[in-house]
Each structure stands twice: as C-alpha cells, then as structure tokens.
C-alpha cells in the first residue's frame, strides 16, 4: 500500500509594501453572445449588431485597486436621451431576448473611489423586421351626376425595421413597376411614421381587381427573412360608422342656429368602395326637394371624401323639422345606413362642465377611478378624453384620444404615472361642427412612501456616536405622518421631533451616543404617510470592513523545480481601516477546492494604514489544484467582514526574469510554448484522465513525472496517419541572453519498440533564425521518466525547441515534462538517481526513500537499466 503525504500549506512571514497601491479603475468592453457583426466605423466607434430576440452579452474587463465596481447604463439612439433609471451592477451584462427598445449606447462605468471613474461605451444596433401593415384608401377626382371621371385606389404598405426595408409590390406573382405599367405609380409619401411605400392604382381597370402583395426585406441581415402581406382588391361592398354634423353659418362665424342665416347638415359613412355610396335626404319622412334655398352636394372639400351635405340657405321657420340621411349601395345586398337630425329652436350647441366636487379625484394606487364631465345641448355629442400635462402621453387604453358616449372615463387599477390633468372635450361629429368645448379633471393617485436609504451599513469605532437618518424620497401624500424606530425588532421610544418650519417633516433621525457591543445590531425606521409605509434599515457595528484582495500582483505563481508544488503571493489592502478600531490580526483559511480539510492561521499585524499593501506567501500548494482563500480581519470588537477568492495555478511564462521557473505544462497556455508551423504534426498536452482509452499499449507514460492522474505532460502520438520520419516541434518563448551559459533540464519518457528520436535544438535569433542541435537521444529507454541536463551557450536572443521524430511504427510515443531553463552551468553529475521515476509495473518503487539510496543502490539501479 502506497502512502502519499501532502503538506497542504506553509505560511511565510507576511510583509507590508509601502503605500500607494490604490490605482484608478481601467475598463475595456468585450463582446460575446449572438452578435451578427462587431465593427469599428470611420470614427472608431464600436458597433455591436444583434438580431432582436437574440441574447446580448457584454463584459466589462476592469483593473485597478480596490477591485472596481462595474455599473452598466444605457442611453437610447441619441446622445440627448436621458440615462435609464435602472442599472446593472455586474461585470457581465446579459440581456435575454433583446428588444429593439434596448438598442442604443451602453456605458460600462468602473469605479473604485480612486481617481475618476473609467467609462467605456459601445453602440448596440438591434436589427428587426416587423410584419408589414397594408391599408387601402380610395378617392374620386370629379363627380358629374352619377358618372365618376376617375377612380383611384391607394395601397399603403408600412413596416418598422432596422435597417431600412426594401419594398417589392406584386400583382399576383408579377413584380410591379411604374416604368412597365402606366396604370400604377409607386412612391414614398412624406410625413409618415415608419417606412412606407404607396402603390397607386390610377383609373381602375378590370385587371386591377386582383391580389396585391407587399414584400419587405432587409436583405437577410442577421438572417432575418423577408416578410409579406397580401390584399385582394374586389368590387364587393360594405358600410359602417354613420356620422352627421350640424354646421352653422361659416361666413358669419356663427356657432348657433339662427333664422336668416345659412345652415349645413352633413352625412357620411365609411364604405368599401367609398365612391359607390349614394345618399338620399328626407325631411319629415318625405324626400327633400332641391330648390334655390335647399342644395344637396357631394364631396364637400371641408369634409371627408364622399360626404353628402344638405345646405339650407337663409333659414326659415318652415325649415325646422326632422332630417333623415340614408346611405346605400345601389344593386348590392348591403343594408342601408341612416342618421336622423332634428332642427328646431331647441337645437343648440353643446356645453361641457365638471360636476361639483368632481374637479379633483383622489384614489389610492391599484383602485379604480372614474372621471366625469357633463355635456348639455341638443344633440349631445360624444365626449373625447386626453392627457394634458404629459407631452404625447397616452391614455391607459393606449390611445391618445378616447371617446365616451356618457362623458365618463373609467380607469381600472390606477398607477402613480396616471396622476395628472385630463381634458374632456366635445366631439365635432354627431353634433355641432363648432369649436370644441372642453373642461379639465385632476387625478391624484396616492401611493405609499419611498425612503432612503433602503439599507445602509454603518461602521464606527467603539465609543463613538452615530446619527441614523431616514428620509422620504417620494410618496403621495408627500409627508411623514408617523415614524417608528426599532432595534432588533423591539420598539424604541420616539426620538425628539425634527425641527421644521410649518411644513410636515421629510425625515426622521435617531442618535446613538456611543457604539458598543450591546448597541450594535439592526435598526429599522418605519415611515408612514397614511397610505402605506416603508422602512429604512441600518446595520450598526464596530466590526472592520473586509480586506480588498489585490488582483494585479505581477506573476503571483511560483513553481518548484523538484516537486509538483507551487507557491502563491497573496496581497491585499484593508478597506477603510480608520473607520473602526485598528486591525489586530487576520484569520487566514485555505482549502483545496473539492476537499474538506481547511488550514487556519492567525496573522498578527501592526497598525494598518489605508492603501498599505499587505502580503503573505502561500507555499506547498499542489499543482495543478485551485484553492479557496478566506481572510477575516479582527479588531477589539471581534471578527470583521470576511473576503474570499479562488487562486488558480497558472504556468509561468519563461522570460529572462523568470528563467528559473519550471514548466509543468499544467496550464493550457503551456508556459508560452507554441507549435511549430513548419513541422508535420503537433505535440499533445494530456494527463492520465484525458488519455484516449483506446491508445496504443506498451508505449508512452501512464502519468506525468509526479505520478498523479491530474498532472499534465507533453507527448507525440505516433499512430496513424503518422509516418516514418515525421517531425513535431515545440518552440519556447524568445529569451534575451543575459548570461554566457544556460542549462536546460527536463524529464523525458521514451518507451516502446518503435521509438524514434528526441532532439533538443537551440534557435539563435542574432542574424535570422539558425537552429543548432544541442542534444539528441534515440531508441527505447524503458517505461521510466529520466532527467537530462543540457548545457547551452547562446550568443544572443534564443529559443529552445523540442523535436520529436516518429520511428518505424506506432509504438513510439515520446513525452517530456518539467522543463527548466536556468542561468549558469549544468550540474556536474548528469545522472541523479533521485530524478529517476520508474513507472508502475516495472518492478521498482516510484518514490524510493532517500535513506535507502547509497552506492550499492545506485549500482543496482544502473544494472536494472
């Protein structure tokens, strides 16, 4: 039974490194998610294009100390638009199913209280294509008797899209163009919302009665398909919405019916086709006869198209009576529409007013509300409601204008944004066609208070006073009716009243004369305005703030040449150390991820200053495992806030300053090594857990040099399609020669009857690239890891190259591990038995005890080889 001992953690005495480690925030935006394209335009503006409904992912990469807090905000399309009220406090902004309204400029603001915040932005362009909407309009240019000189139909196709859509009109399956058909005209009207193209069918012909398709396209941008809508133009008939108007003498600017003045009665119905509608007027049940004082006209230019008007010139008493307008479709099975208008001395224009006590309506949020205006007059027209004090605001129904026949606007479940002034006015149809009469109603929606702070962490040293203040932000009514303070749920005596001048107080305060262990805890201030209540929460204590881990430590990982261990430089500062009592020590807890064992250590400190960088070196961490580190400050009050982070093993990238580091190939970056592009195949990084279960037997190592299944190594796979003589080259980073001699040390594993060669080359960069052989070994060396020390003396900048050459067959896998480049000469003793590892199954111990090694043991091992 093999016993493996692991020292979890060793603590090196901690150090303090001066002042000034606080650094302002720096930020950079990177994108992910489902972008169609990300590009830079002519003014170096970053534009992120995405399809509506896809997922937007933006990440704000930040540096600085303390670790910056990231806040995402957004403006709409133009720079003048205000920031949204909502923000996202996270380094990654993720929006599922993004909508068009969420396009615009996104700002990443990184702030850590040092210097000015870092602000970066990117413009998000959301691409979309709605279903097109098609409406039909008809006009008649001239009317002479019952003969229509010209009948014209307008098919208006409107769509909302980004980018602008391209329109294609089709009759049946044929594409229409005004250059090929004189009977059609295609144009873009002015002053329309959205994108619109109009197909004008001039002087309808028999072939014009057909199916028309409006096809819209954004040219497959972001994979958005084309969309279409079809309308069939027929000569079928329909009528709806009969209305009438009473227009007093326009020339004399009259608003009343007066004898001796002109009077016009108008009648209109909406119909398809509009020009086929005929009107007939009756007075007191008999057809109205035209005379010099009674004129019937059609298509009054001041009224909607195809409207019939009966005009009474020089109104007489005998003209009083009941007038009936009948609209019909001759020869069509459509019922007639009729509207009746009574003209008498009692026919008067409308007036409108608000009932007494109803000018101001006050309700609570979530309740129904009824706004009322009374209309008098004969006939009584409908009442139209709209908002007054909010520009372009819509009514709760979603319409800018809403008609009510009884003058009452009924609102269900009102919200605070419905507060304001509402206008009621008389309609100019189904009554007098005169200036609308109007009145106003004020709606007040009461809602519970909103307070600040909703939650606040209050820190103070023991024995010092604290003032807690809860302020009213908004509410209706905007006043504090009562304020109750509680400590740990227990009601406190009311604090002294806040001195104010005549007005109701807008805040409540509680003063603690001294912070103690007994007075530390949760305080709640419950504020009421008679509609509801809200609470401010305060957490009062003398405990220290959390440490601030320093994430910008250069090269925090240090690997060990002789073992699979590494050390980590842990650095931090203390957040606001002067806010509470001095920090006396830190409690350090280290635990390997996915393990239960935890090492705990107390680290005493002297007085910690703001911005002072504290350092502790964790050693004997196992490659390639990660660890959770927890750090808790302690003061005379006790434990403060804990900070935690995960530290990961990362391979050091060798450079002149780091040449003594050992590369274990545990990180995917493989210490900066790269695959040569001029060779035949590549080296492969793997461990015992990632090996191909169908790999060739009797070749290659089962594990890395440490013998653990998690340890990685580099090897060449010589199975098919590899052929004899194929080469794989692994190239190191470029080193600047700062010493005359270097020693390259590494472990190699060459096991299999078809083993080829392993070569070490040095590539000099003095004058071009010149590769020189420094070491070579061929043939089967057994199922054992062995170490080589190769001296080199480069004359300038250089790289080292491991070249694996395929032998005569597939049982020729070669592996390397634990590569070290060290300044100076190599050890005189080239063969160190402690550096030999015989793999399981070969009959020799994997880690022989040092005390058993002596001259005889070395001799026996040599015989075994």
């Amino acid at each position: 039974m093999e016993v493996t001992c692991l020292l979890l953690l060793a603590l090196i005495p901690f150090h303090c490194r001066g002042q000034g480690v606080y650094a302002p925030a720096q930020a950079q935006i990177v994108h992910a998610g489902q972008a169609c394209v990300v590009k830079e335009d002519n003014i170096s503006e970053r534009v992120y294009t995405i399809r509506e409904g896809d997922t937007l992912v933006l990440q704000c990469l930040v540096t600085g100390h303390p670790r910056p807090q990231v806040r995402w905000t957004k403006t709409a399309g133009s720079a003048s638009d205000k920031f949204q009220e909502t923000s996202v406090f996270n380094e990654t902004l993720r929006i599922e199913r993004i909508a068009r309204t969420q396009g615009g400029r996104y700002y990443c603001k990184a702030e850590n209280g040092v210097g000015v915040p870092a602000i970066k932005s990117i413009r998000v362009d959301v691409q979309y294509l709605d279903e097109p909407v098609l409406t039909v309009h008809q006009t008649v240019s001239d009317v002479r008797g019952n003969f229509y000189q010209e009948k014209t139909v307008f098919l208006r196709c409107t769509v909302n899209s980004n980018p602008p859509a391209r329109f294609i009109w089709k009759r049946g399956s044929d594409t229409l163009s005004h250059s090929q058909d004189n009977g059609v005209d295609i144009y873009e009207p002015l002053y329309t919302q959205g994108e619109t193209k109009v197909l004008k069918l001039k002087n309808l012909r028999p072939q014009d009665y057909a199916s028309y398709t409006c096809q819209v396209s954004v040219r497959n941008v972001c994979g958005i398909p084309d969309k279409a809508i079809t309308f069939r133009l027929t000569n079928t008939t329909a009528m709806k919405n009969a209305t009438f108007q009473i227009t007093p003498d326009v020339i004399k600017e009259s608003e009343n019916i007066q004898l001796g003045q002109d009077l016009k009665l108008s009648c209109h119905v909406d119909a398809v086709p509009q020009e086929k509608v005929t009107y007939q007027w009756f007075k007191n049940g008999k057809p109205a006869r035209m005379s010099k004082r009674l004129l019937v006209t059609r298509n009054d230019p001041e009224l909607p198209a195809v409207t019939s008007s009966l005009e009474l010139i020089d109104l007489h008493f005998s003209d009083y009576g009941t007038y009936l307008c009948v609209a019909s479709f001759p020869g069509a099975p459509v019922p007639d529409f009729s509207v009746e208008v009574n003209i008498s001395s009692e026919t008067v224009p409308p007036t409108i007013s608000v009932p007494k006590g109803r000018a101001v309506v006050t309700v609570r949020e979530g309740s129904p509300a009824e706004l009322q205006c009374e209309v008098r007059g004969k006939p009584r027209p409908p009442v139209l409601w709209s908002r007054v004090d909010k520009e372009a605001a819509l009514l709760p129904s979603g319409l800018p204008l809403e008609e009510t026949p009884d003058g009452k606007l009924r609102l269900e479940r009102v919200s605070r944004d419905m507060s304001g002034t509402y206008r009621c006015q008389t309609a100019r149809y189904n009554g007098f066609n005169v200036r609308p009469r109007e009145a106003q109603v004020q709606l007040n929606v009461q809602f519970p208070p909103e307070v600040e702070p909703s939650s606040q962490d209050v820190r103070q040293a023991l024995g010092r006073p604290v003032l807690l203040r809860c302020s009213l932000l908004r509410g209706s009514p905007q006043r504090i009716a009562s304020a109750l303070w509680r400590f740990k749920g227990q009601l406190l005596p009311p604090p002294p009243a806040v001195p104010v001048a005549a007005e109701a107080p807008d805040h409540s305060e509680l003063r603690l004369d001294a912070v103690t262990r007994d007075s530390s805890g949760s305080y709640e201030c419950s504020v009421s305005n008679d509609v509801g209540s809200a609470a401010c929460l305060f957490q009062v204590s003398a405990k220290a703030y959390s440490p601030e881990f320093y994430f910008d430590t250069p090269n925090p990982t240090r690997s060990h040449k002789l073992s699979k261990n590494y050390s980590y430089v842990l650095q931090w500062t203390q957040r606001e150390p002067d806010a509470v009592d001095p920090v006396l020590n830190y409690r350090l807890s280290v635990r390997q991820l996915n393990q239960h064992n935890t090492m705990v250590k107390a680290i005493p400190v002297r007085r910690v200053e703001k911005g002072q960088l504290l350092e502790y070196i964790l050693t004997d961490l196992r490659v390639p495992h990660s660890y959770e580190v927890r750090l808790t400050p302690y003061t005379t009050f006790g434990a403060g806030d804990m900070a935690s982070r995960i530290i990961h093993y990362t391979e050091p990238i060798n450079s002149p300053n780091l040449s003594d580091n050992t590369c274990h190939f545990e990180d995917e970056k493989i210490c900066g090594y790269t695959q040569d592009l001029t060779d035949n195949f590549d080296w492969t990084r793997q461990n015992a857990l990632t090996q191909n279960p169908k790999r060739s037997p009797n070749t290659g190592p089962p594990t890395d040099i440490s013998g653990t299944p998690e340890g990685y190594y580099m090897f060449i796979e010589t199975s098919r399609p590899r052929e004899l003589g194929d080469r794989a080259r692994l190239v190191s980073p470029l080193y600047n020669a700062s010493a005359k001699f270097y020693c390259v040390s590494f472990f190699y594993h060459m096991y299999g009857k078809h083993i080829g060669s392993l070569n070490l080359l040095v590539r000099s960069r003095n004058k071009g690239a010149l590769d020189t052989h420094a070491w070579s070994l061929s043939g089967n060396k057994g199922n054992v890891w062995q170490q080589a020390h190769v001296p080199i003396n480069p004359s300038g900048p250089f790289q080292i190259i491991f070249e694996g050459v395929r032998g005569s067959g597939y049982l020729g896998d070669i592996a390397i591990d634990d590569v070290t480049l060290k300044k100076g000469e190599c050890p005189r003793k080239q063969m160190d038995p402690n550096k030999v590892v015989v793999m399981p199954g070969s009959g020799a111990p994997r880690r022989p005890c040092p005390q058993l090694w002596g001259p005889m043991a070395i001799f026996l091992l040599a015989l075994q080889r």
Side-chain angles (χ1 to χ4, degrees), residues 429-654:
Y429 55 88
N430 290 346
F432 275 75
N433 180 23
V434 295
R435 174 182 54 84
R437 276 57 170 165
E438 64 179 51
Q440 294 183 352
V441 178
Q442 177 69 32
L443 175 62
N444 294 330
V445 179
Q446 295 184 332
F447 56 91
E450 295 180 12
V451 294
E452 69 170 359
S454 58
S455 178
Q456 185 177 4
D457 188 9
V458 181
R459 306 292 177 99
Q460 186 60 277
L462 290 172
R464 295 181 184 176
V466 164
L467 181 65
L468 307 180
R469 176 171 176 149
C470 183
S471 300
L472 177 64
L473 278 180
R474 62 185 65 88
S476 179
Q478 181 78 15
R479 62 182 177 83
I480 294 179
S482 64
L484 299 176
W485 285 88
R486 291 180 173 86
F487 174 56
K488 295 181 179 180
Q490 299 298 317
L491 190 64
L492 296 176
V498 179
V500 292
E503 299 181 0
D506 62 355
H507 67 274
S508 179
E509 294 179 346
L510 177 67
R511 180 180 177 85
L512 305 179
D513 294 331
V515 174
T516 64
R517 288 182 176 83
D518 293 336
S519 64
S520 298
S522 176
Y523 289 82
E524 177 186 5
C525 177
S526 180
V527 169
S528 172
N529 66 347
D530 293 334
V531 176
S533 62
C536 297
L537 299 178
F538 303 90
Q539 190 67 35
V540 179
S541 76
K543 67 179 181 178
Y545 285 106
S546 61
E548 304 161 321
F549 282 115
Y550 189 63
F551 290 88
D552 298 329
T553 305
N555 305 309
T557 305
R558 300 285 188 271
S559 62
H560 295 248
K561 302 184 186 68
L562 304 181
S563 68
K564 280 287 184 175
N565 293 345
Y566 72 97
S567 61
Y568 195 92
V569 180
L570 186 70
Q571 294 180 314
W572 71 93
T573 57
Q574 177 61 40
R575 178 187 171 193
E576 302 296 339
D578 297 329
V580 295
D581 298 293
V583 175
L584 302 177
N585 60 73
Y586 288 91
R587 182 178 185 268
L588 178 67
S589 169
V590 180
R591 180 184 63 86
Q592 181 181 318
L593 293 187
N594 302 320
Q595 298 292 328
H596 298 292
N597 295 334
T598 301
M599 199 292 303
V600 179
K601 174 70 175 181
I603 307 174
V605 294
R606 297 179 180 177
R607 181 168 181 82
V608 179
E609 304 291 341
K610 182 177 176 64
Q612 185 178 9
L613 185 62
L614 308 178
E615 178 179 298
Y616 219 94
I617 300 178
L618 312 178
T619 63
D620 289 338
L621 307 176
R622 296 294 292 164
V623 175
H625 298 293
S626 299
Y627 293 82
E628 180 190 38
V629 176
R630 295 185 177 186
L631 196 61
T632 306
Y634 275 76
T635 65
T636 54
F637 178 79
D641 290 339
M642 180 269 295
S644 68
R645 64 170 296 190
I646 304 297
I647 59 173
H648 302 279
Y649 173 76
T650 56
E651 288 279 10
I653 297 178
N654 288 335

Side-chain angles (χ1 to χ4, degrees), residues 138 209 232-238 271-273 276 329 332 334:
Q138 293 178 280
Y209 292 99
R232 180 163 185 81
L233 180 64
T234 66
N235 54 4
T236 56
T237 57
V272 178
K276 287 192 174 184
F329 271 125
V334 177

